[in-house]
Structures are given as C-alpha cells and as structure tokens.
Amino acid sequence: FADDVDDGVVRSFVRRSIDTDPALAVNQVSRVTNEGYRNFIYERAIPRWYAQDPDAAYAWMEANPLSENLLNRINRRITRD
C-alpha cells in the first residue's frame, strides 16, 4: 500500500516518532520529498538518537550523505545537549 502513503502521512509519523524512537524517525524521513523538512527532522532527531545510541547514530551519519552545513548544526546540538 505504498501508494496510499503520501508526504503528509510520513511527516506526521516522523514527528510523532522523534521523541519515542528517533532512529526510526531518521530512517523514515528520507521518504519525504521536501529536503528542507528532512533536514529539519535530521537536525532534531539525530541528536536525540545520539543520546540513546551514539555508535549507531554516528554510523548512520557516516553512511548517509548530509551537507557539511547540516552536519555542523547537528554536531553543535550534540555537543550542547
């Protein structure tokens, strides 16, 4: 039923997942077509994921292409929190 799932459904799911399962949020937000929204979620969810499982979050960041600017913003949040 992949055709029944649009950006709005994925966005809603991802927003609800950030606090309870940030790894899931990070892995599902790639399905959203809007890059700005994806980056918004990455910037908020990856630091939460890092707090729970730093090795997994770091490995994901290494394996997935994120802009240098976005990585810098994520890293500032990780070190600040």
Side-chain angles (χ1 to χ4, degrees):
F1 301 94
D3 293 338
D4 294 336
V5 178
D6 62 11
D7 269 11
V9 171
V10 176
R11 284 180 184 210
S12 178
F13 177 77
V14 165
R15 270 194 314 273
R16 287 193 312 271
S17 300
I18 288 175
D19 291 326
T20 57
D21 193 342
L24 180 63
V26 168
N27 283 295
Q28 291 301 310
V29 77
S30 64
R31 298 173 59 191
V32 173
T33 57
N34 183 295
E35 181 181 9
Y37 185 79
R38 286 193 311 268
N39 290 345
F40 173 82
I41 295 299
Y42 288 143
E43 189 173 344
R44 280 144 189 82
I46 291 173
R48 289 184 172 126
W49 184 12
Y50 188 88
Q52 294 175 354
D53 188 349
D55 293 335
Y58 182 76
W60 187 93
M61 287 191 297
E62 287 287 308
N64 290 276
L66 300 175
S67 73
E68 185 176 339
N69 183 24
L70 179 57
L71 284 172
N72 288 338
R73 293 193 319 261
I74 291 168
N75 284 323
R76 279 195 300 273
R77 283 180 172 262
I78 287 171
T79 59
R80 184 179 64 206
D81 294 343

